[in-house]
Amino acid sequence: MNKLNNLSFLEKIKKRENRSLKVEEVYTNTELAEKTIEYLKKQTYLEFSKIDILLSNNFDNKSPFGNVLIDKHKEIIGFLGTMFSKRVDSNNNYVLCNLHTWIVNESHRLNSYLLLIPVVDRNSVITTFTPLKTLIGLYHKFGFEKLDMKYRVVLLFHLLGFLKYGRFKIIEDQALVEKYIKKEQLKIYQDHKHLSCLKFIIMDLKDSSNNIFVIALKKRKSFFDVIDLLYVSDNKQFKKYWLSLCLQIGLKFKVFFCGQNFLDDDDCSIPNKILFSKDLIKEICVKNLPSGHKFDTLYSEFVY
């Protein structure tokens, strides 16, 4: 859909907005924030403890953590979670908004689109990694592009890993991570420093300048534990030395499998076409994604 058609569509739906309903942005430490929390707690089909984690951490405190739909009685009847962050990618600064938790009372679901208008009007980069299939068509009308996000999972224990074991050292100590991390990765580290996700440096013992910064999350999936790579500072190096790293990662974090979400194979740190690996595909929606964007799942619900 071209820009002209996008503009035409937005103009049309704004003209037919339900005047008895309004959308307000929700900021932390406000009366509206308290009312929003109470609304979400009452949603029986939501596990509020998981949603609360997302709401309690705002990467940009000057931005709203969500939009609410309010009826003529001043009651909240809908919510769309917004996770704003400031990113630096290929020397370009931009604002990223990741969307999550879109819910509207059944009686007003035809007006769900109203919650999306203020986000689109900001002209920021927008991503949603867990869109409901029923909403993908609506995202498309708002100018979002539908992409296939792949998830590669692989067994970490490989015979050659034992032969190549010992070249690298995994450093988790906060003081050492801050010492060895490169300047361009410092903001990412600081933004995620207080979160429970893993943050570590992979140090090359043969070349101390050849360090890789990683943010990952250890998760339980079905019957096994897996470490998901959320961010890898140098995908090419990580992939190049995979056989030296896979066993060490498995032993260090007591997991048998490693996974990563990616769009293009260049964005993935795990080699393709290796034994005991599998790629899964799911649809995501993005808008205003910068050219040359290095894809990762930071600053989203995936870091929890």
Side-chain angles (χ1 to χ4, degrees):
M1 184 179 290
N2 60 41
K3 188 173 182 180
L4 182 60
N5 288 336
N6 282 341
L7 184 61
S8 176
F9 173 75
L10 287 175
E11 286 177 342
K12 287 178 180 178
I13 62 172
K14 286 179 180 180
K15 285 180 180 179
R16 64 181 175 90
E17 285 181 21
N18 188 327
R19 300 300 178 184
S20 65
L21 304 177
K22 66 176 181 176
V23 177
E24 290 192 18
E25 296 180 328
V26 190
Y27 293 82
T28 55
N29 302 317
T30 63
E31 184 179 344
L32 184 56
E34 294 178 5
K35 290 182 65 176
T36 301
I37 297 300
E38 290 304 312
Y39 170 77
L40 292 172
K41 284 181 177 178
K42 293 176 183 177
Q43 308 307 309
T44 56
Y45 47 87
L46 283 181
E47 191 174 342
F48 179 73
S49 59
K50 292 183 178 180
I51 303 300
D52 191 36
I53 293 175
L54 302 181
L55 304 182
S56 60
N57 176 64
N58 200 349
F59 292 105
D60 182 4
N61 290 325
K62 294 182 180 179
S63 298
F65 67 77
N67 295 336
V68 289
L69 187 61
I70 301 174
D71 66 12
K72 61 183 178 180
H73 304 294
K74 298 184 179 180
E75 295 294 327
I76 296 175
I77 56 172
F79 173 80
L80 173 61
T82 57
M83 194 178 293
F84 285 91
S85 59
K86 295 177 181 177
R87 300 295 306 265
V88 178
D89 191 5
S90 300
N91 298 317
N92 294 319
N93 297 330
Y94 61 91
V95 175
L96 170 69
C97 178
N98 184 67
L99 303 177
H100 65 90
T101 320
W102 193 348
I103 56 172
V104 177
N105 292 6
E106 188 174 356
S107 58
H108 288 83
R109 284 182 186 159
L110 289 176
N111 298 291
S112 297
Y113 67 90
L114 294 172
L115 287 163
L116 194 55
I117 293 174
V119 183
V120 173
D121 281 347
R122 284 173 171 262
N123 291 317
S124 58
V125 177
I126 312 173
T127 60
T128 176
F129 296 144
T130 53
L132 295 174
K133 288 187 178 296
T134 54
L135 291 173
I136 289 178
L138 180 60
Y139 280 121
H140 182 65
K141 288 182 178 179
F142 273 86
F144 282 73
E145 182 182 3
K146 183 176 69 175
L147 300 176
D148 286 336
M149 181 174 74
K150 304 176 185 68
Y151 176 73
R152 180 170 296 163
V153 61
V154 61
L155 180 67
L156 285 170
F157 291 87
H158 192 288
L159 179 61
L160 290 178
F162 289 92
L163 301 177
K164 295 179 177 291
Y165 185 86
R167 172 168 178 169
F168 294 89
K169 181 179 181 181
I170 297 176
I171 299 174
E172 285 189 279
D173 181 84
Q174 179 177 310
L176 292 176
V177 170
E178 292 178 354
K179 177 181 178 181
Y180 290 110
I181 196 170
K182 295 177 182 177
K183 184 179 179 181
E184 58 267 28
Q185 295 134 27
L186 187 59
K187 184 181 185 303
I188 291 175
Y189 170 74
Q190 291 173 337
D191 286 346
H192 294 79
K193 181 178 178 179
H194 62 291
L195 301 182
S196 59
C197 49
L198 303 167
K199 294 151 296 270
F200 56 92
I201 293 285
I202 297 175
M203 178 175 286
D204 188 341
L205 298 178
K206 292 184 178 180
D207 180 2
S208 60
S209 65
N210 185 29
N211 299 329
I212 304 172
F213 173 53
V214 179
I215 296 181
L217 188 67
K218 184 177 177 180
K219 300 178 69 176
R220 184 73 178 176
K221 294 190 179 180
S222 300
F223 305 105
F224 54 87
D225 288 334
V226 59
I227 184 169
D228 278 347
L229 304 174
L230 308 176
Y231 171 82
V232 178
S233 64
D234 193 328
N235 291 324
K236 289 182 179 179
Q237 287 292 92
F238 194 99
K239 194 178 292 186
K240 177 181 178 180
Y241 294 110
W242 170 256
L243 289 177
S244 300
L245 294 172
C246 60
L247 178 62
Q248 195 156 358
I249 290 172
L251 293 174
K252 175 70 174 180
F253 299 107
K254 298 181 175 59
V255 293
F256 283 91
F257 294 90
C258 180
Q260 187 177 19
N261 289 290
F262 62 99
L263 294 180
D264 300 315
D265 204 64
D266 287 344
D267 295 323
C268 188
S269 305
I270 304 172
N272 60 358
K273 298 180 181 179
I274 58 176
L275 198 61
F276 303 117
S277 68
K278 185 176 181 63
D279 283 5
L280 305 173
I281 297 176
K282 68 172 295 184
E283 293 178 338
I284 66 170
C285 294
V286 302
K287 185 175 174 63
N288 302 328
L289 204 65
S291 176
H293 171 73
K294 181 185 176 184
F295 181 82
D296 59 57
T297 50
L298 293 178
Y299 300 94
S300 74
E301 66 271 32
F302 281 47
V303 303
Y304 301 96

